Amino acid sequence: MFCVLYGTLARAQIDTLQYELKGSVLVSTGNKSGLKGRLSEGMTLERSLIDRMPQFLGSGDPIGLMRMLPGVQTVTEYESGIHICGGENSHNDVSVAGVPVFGVSHLFGFFSAFNPLHYQQISFSTSPDLRSNRIGGSIIMEIPDSASKAAVSGELSLGLMAAQGSLKLKGKKKVQATLSARQSFLNQLYGPWLKLEGDPIRYGFGDWNATISVGVSPNDIITFDCYTGNDDASLLEPNIGSDISFKWGNAIAACHWKHNGGDWKMNNSLFFSGYMSRMNLSQADLKLSLPSHIGTIGYKGNYNKRCFRTSTELALYDALPQSPEVDSNFGNNSLTQRSQRGLEANMSILYDTLLASRLGISAGLKAGVFVDSGQRLYPQFTPQFSLSYKFGRCGKAAFHTGWYHQNLFQTGLSNVGLPVQFWFLAGAYSKPQSSLHFDLSYDLGLLNDALLLSAELYFKKLYNQVEYRGTLLDYLNASYRTEDYLLKGDGMNYGLNLMLQKVSGRMTGWIAYSFGRALRRFDNPDYPGIYPSSHERLHELNAVCSWSAGPCQFSGTFVYASGSPFTVPEYFYVSSGGIVTQYGRYNGGRMRPYIRLDLSANITIIKNERQENGINLSLYNALGRRNDVIYKMTFSEEKGKYAFRPMSFLLRFVPSISYYHRF
């Protein structure tokens, strides 16, 4: 399917047509891929690319598509988050126009937490940003900054699991608004069939967006942006009288002021962002509740003038790590965990210039301080340096290094897209995280830039890393303390990313290969040596292809990834009705390779100046492969034996259809 990426290279020249008119040259490049930029400069995913890619139950997923980019590790169907160059999910700066977002996932990570109809594009970078307070990559959802020429326009989409829509309004005096909403209806249509190993599941989610921009002057724009989303899931197990429920959601609100002063620009933002979650487990003799939350209010200011860029940030945090509330036959065990408070303040300056038209230099410094609940101060200095050189037609090479800091942690029972992970602040449990980062990249344009080749080498040394080693049963311990179940140590990430893009023509797409190691060492005698992180993928091959043929667009994605690590039990036995397990080396085993092919077709039914409508047909996991997602203990009633075996995704093939209407 993807051999066309390597097909007759001469056809790439046909994609660009030139027309000469009275000494001027007009260039038409035909269809665009929807992916802009290069590894050394950062990349941008446009809405048009998300729309024509394969969908899951009729819903496009911008975060899922980003996992097809080089340096981003694939996750299984029962995992969520995004891992960039071996980093943890919490290392990434995920934001909406610079406002941080926590808990970026719906159930199991199947569905994106962001409504793709509301955002015009997504900016992505594998390297940390000086203006960010994270040690990983960055993902920025760009809010709408312009409406269509029509006074009213919009888009509706109806899939098998949710309906979503976006309405754009353009008023007088440079006032415009974009309103979007999405709501699932899984329970209404599929309630009788939603089961996990025979037990009924209930699940629903919804999210709402509003962006209003006011042009108060020719050079000043004030934008109000807000977003809220919520999830509600439950699992009923009648055989053992157990009822498990999960509730989680996030919300942001921001006011942005942009000023364009010609050779200088300014952007100021006041914002709030919050996330809360709660898990409830109820049985005849046990009730367990796990509440947690994190919230922040703050200010960000950016000032750019010619070669200089400065930024200022002030943020107040309030975080509640998971606080078990237990009522059982063993007694009550309610941990009155106090909320953690923190203050983060920093300023940065960056100088970026081009010397002799070929040599680019960028140098910056950020100075900041973090104050925790105990009034402990952590001064932080972040130097950053970049060097690039253009070799003309022979491409461009770039080197980047920096020392970065992060004051937030996220950990918990499992990264399965359910609210069993929690956030906490540096200070009480651990010192702030830090990272020494290096990367070397090379970009080359081929056939008049019809093809782009990119390569990147990276190395990261991580300090003060944390992982959670507890289980659900540990919450029943009357002496439970969160800090007793945290593994602390350092880490190291290194690897190679390669990418070949075809950026224009009837057929566009890319092929990406990544090799990566994500290693951790813990300061615990029970965990000697160096271990691979649970999300490590040694090798990964991704391919994305889109082909236009009249009113139809055919697309496909393919992924091959090495198996992720897991801890293998050496032996287990039954004692007093319970299972006693002796595990081997931590993350010493590997699952089977993960292989998946997704296909889709967009068919336009009507398209004119007033409207466009059509359908999307998608097939998730077209090869029907049963990929391992987790390993678990099982019991065979026929053989009367226990076994530790892999569990695959519930559905082998996932076909879907959705209808869209734009006006």
Side-chain angles (χ1 to χ4, degrees):
M1 165 184 171
F2 300 103
C3 62
V4 287
L5 280 172
Y6 292 108
T8 307
L9 295 181
R11 295 192 58 184
Q13 302 287 356
I14 304 177
D15 296 335
T16 301
L17 302 178
Q18 295 186 353
Y19 303 92
E20 187 171 352
L21 179 62
K22 295 182 179 180
S24 301
V25 176
L26 305 178
V27 179
S28 173
T29 57
N31 298 321
K32 297 293 185 179
S33 69
L35 177 65
K36 296 182 178 180
R38 308 184 184 188
L39 284 177
S40 62
E41 304 169 348
M43 312 189 83
T44 300
L45 288 172
E46 295 185 339
R47 255 288 312 279
S48 59
L49 178 61
I50 301 171
D51 289 341
R52 62 178 182 261
M53 285 295 109
Q55 302 179 2
F56 186 86
L57 294 179
S59 177
D61 184 359
I63 299 297
L65 183 58
M66 297 191 71
R67 296 191 181 109
M68 304 299 297
L69 295 175
V72 183
Q73 279 73 46
T74 290
V75 298
T76 66
E77 283 80 3
Y78 288 168
E79 295 180 67
S80 64
I82 188 167
H83 303 278
I84 300 175
C85 293
E88 308 297 329
N89 177 50
S90 59
H91 290 171
N92 304 319
D93 179 21
V94 182
S95 69
V96 175
V99 178
V101 182
F102 308 100
V104 189
S105 173
H106 285 307
L107 180 68
F108 294 147
F110 292 154
F111 316 116
S112 170
F114 300 110
N115 184 345
L117 301 187
H118 189 79
Y119 302 99
Q120 56 188 10
Q121 63 183 25
I122 309 172
S123 299
F124 167 78
S125 176
T126 59
S127 302
D129 192 306
L130 189 67
R131 295 170 293 183
S132 169
N133 295 313
R134 302 295 177 90
I135 61 177
S138 63
I139 302 170
I140 304 175
M141 310 297 295
E142 305 289 353
I143 59 177
D145 58 4
S146 62
S148 63
K149 297 181 180 180
V152 179
S153 62
E155 181 175 356
L156 300 173
S157 177
L158 179 63
L160 295 178
M161 44 69 67
Q164 53 194 357
S166 181
L167 181 65
K168 296 183 178 181
L169 306 173
K170 186 176 182 180
K172 299 180 179 180
K173 299 181 179 180
K174 298 182 180 180
V175 177
Q176 54 193 32
T178 302
L179 309 175
S180 305
R182 181 171 56 166
Q183 184 63 51
S184 69
F185 40 75
L186 286 168
N187 296 325
Q188 290 79 0
L189 291 183
Y190 312 106
W193 299 280
L194 287 176
K195 294 182 179 181
L196 179 62
E197 297 186 346
D199 299 323
I201 301 175
R202 303 287 292 176
Y203 173 67
F205 72 87
D207 43 63
W208 299 267
N209 299 81
T211 302
I212 302 174
S213 298
V214 181
V216 295
S217 75
N219 297 323
D220 295 274
I221 298 177
I222 295 179
T223 302
F224 302 92
D225 182 66
C226 62
Y227 156 74
T228 182
N230 61 78
D231 292 70
D232 193 342
S234 64
L235 172 63
L236 180 62
E237 297 179 307
N239 295 331
I240 60 175
S242 175
D243 186 3
I244 307 175
S245 64
F246 303 90
K247 294 182 182 294
W248 70 100
N250 43 29
I252 66 171
C255 177
H256 307 279
W257 170 34
K258 291 184 178 180
H259 176 79
N260 189 346
D263 62 344
W264 64 279
K265 297 180 181 180
M266 181 176 61
N267 187 4
N268 296 280
S269 301
L270 292 172
F271 63 87
F272 160 80
S273 179
Y275 170 80
M276 60 75 61
S277 67
R278 178 181 287 269
M279 169 188 168
N280 293 308
L281 170 63
S282 177
Q283 290 183 341
D285 55 352
L286 171 66
K287 290 185 179 180
L288 170 65
S289 180
L290 291 176
S292 70
H293 70 250
I294 184 171
T296 178
I297 58 173
Y299 161 80
K300 284 186 177 183
N302 298 312
Y303 177 87
N304 302 338
K305 184 173 183 179
R306 297 177 183 173
C307 299
F308 288 93
R309 186 183 74 189
T310 64
S311 65
T312 304
E313 181 174 1
L314 181 67
L316 295 170
Y317 291 96
D318 178 273
L320 177 67
Q322 278 183 347
S323 305
E325 300 173 0
V326 182
D327 183 7
S328 69
N329 292 340
F330 302 99
N332 296 327
N333 174 28
S334 295
L335 179 65
T336 56
Q337 184 105 276
R338 291 186 177 181
S339 293
Q340 299 176 343
R341 305 291 173 84
L343 170 65
E344 195 174 56
N346 55 70
M347 297 182 64
S348 70
I349 182 170
L350 179 71
Y351 178 75
D352 191 351
T353 188
L354 185 64
L355 302 177
S357 73
R358 288 178 178 260
L359 179 64
I361 297 178
S362 175
L365 176 66
K366 180 169 69 174
V369 63
F370 178 75
V371 184
D372 69 3
S373 298
Q375 303 301 311
R376 291 182 290 263
L377 273 68
Y378 297 93
Q380 297 169 348
F381 296 93
T382 302
Q384 176 181 291
F385 177 77
S386 299
L387 187 68
S388 64
Y389 187 81
K390 294 182 178 180
F391 298 96
R393 295 183 179 182
C394 296
K396 173 185 175 183
F399 170 76
H400 170 83
T401 185
W403 176 264
Y404 302 95
H405 303 273
Q406 180 171 328
N407 302 306
L408 299 180
F409 294 82
Q410 185 188 28
T411 189
L413 293 175
S414 175
N415 186 27
V416 295
L418 291 172
V420 291
Q421 289 202 325
F422 56 91
W423 293 83
F424 66 89
L425 306 181
Y429 301 152
S430 175
K431 295 180 180 179
Q433 303 181 69
S434 58
S435 170
L436 179 61
H437 177 97
F438 298 92
D439 67 64
L440 178 65
S441 60
Y442 177 76
D443 299 308
L444 175 65
L446 303 171
L447 300 176
N448 294 327
D449 289 341
L451 297 177
L452 296 179
L453 176 65
S454 299
E456 179 184 48
L457 286 168
Y458 66 88
F459 174 85
K460 296 182 180 182
K461 180 61 178 176
L462 307 173
Y463 300 92
N464 300 324
Q465 300 301 289
V466 169
E467 287 192 18
Y468 189 79
R469 62 167 179 163
T471 66
L472 193 62
L473 296 178
D474 292 322
Y475 295 131
L476 305 181
N477 189 342
S479 60
Y480 175 87
R481 297 192 314 163
T482 301
E483 55 267 39
D484 294 337
Y485 295 89
L486 297 179
L487 292 173
K488 303 177 183 179
D490 299 331
M492 179 173 58
N493 302 340
Y494 61 89
L496 167 68
N497 300 320
L498 299 173
M499 185 178 189
L500 178 66
Q501 303 179 62
K502 187 174 185 302
V503 298
S504 63
R506 294 178 61 186
M507 190 280 297
T508 58
W510 68 84
I511 292 178
Y513 167 77
S514 298
F515 165 79
R517 297 305 311 265
L519 305 175
R520 304 291 183 264
R521 181 193 292 272
F522 304 124
D523 299 331
N524 189 303
D526 296 332
Y527 296 82
I530 299 177
Y531 303 89
S533 178
S534 299
H535 61 264
E536 181 189 75
R537 302 278 191 177
L538 290 177
H539 304 279
E540 184 163 340
L541 178 68
N542 295 304
V544 176
C545 181
S546 179
W547 181 61
S548 299
C552 301
Q553 288 182 328
F554 302 96
S555 301
T557 61
F558 175 80
V559 57
Y560 171 90
S562 299
S564 56
F566 74 101
T567 305
V568 183
E570 293 182 341
Y571 60 86
F572 53 89
Y573 57 90
V574 179
S575 176
S576 301
I579 301 177
V580 179
T581 307
Q582 176 62 45
Y583 288 93
R585 181 178 174 83
Y586 182 75
N587 279 349
R590 290 272 178 179
M591 294 186 183
R592 295 180 300 171
Y594 184 94
I595 302 174
R596 196 185 77 239
L597 172 67
D598 303 333
L599 302 172
S600 74
N602 275 7
I603 304 174
T604 302
I605 301 175
I606 298 176
K607 184 176 182 179
N608 52 46
E609 296 181 355
R610 299 176 53 187
Q611 64 174 325
E612 176 183 354
N613 59 59
I615 60 174
N616 174 276
L617 303 173
S618 294
L619 180 60
Y620 181 88
N621 193 24
L623 299 177
R625 180 179 171 85
R626 293 192 177 276
N627 290 301
D628 300 342
V629 290
I630 59 174
Y631 270 73
K632 70 171 187 174
M633 196 73 67
T634 61
F635 176 74
S636 174
E637 295 183 359
E638 296 180 358
K639 299 181 180 180
K641 294 182 179 180
Y642 287 93
F644 190 77
R645 64 175 182 84
M647 186 177 72
S648 60
F649 184 44
L650 291 175
L651 303 176
R652 194 163 186 174
F653 304 94
V654 186
S656 67
I657 182 173
S658 63
Y659 169 80
Y660 63 89
H661 176 73
R662 304 183 181 108
F663 58 93

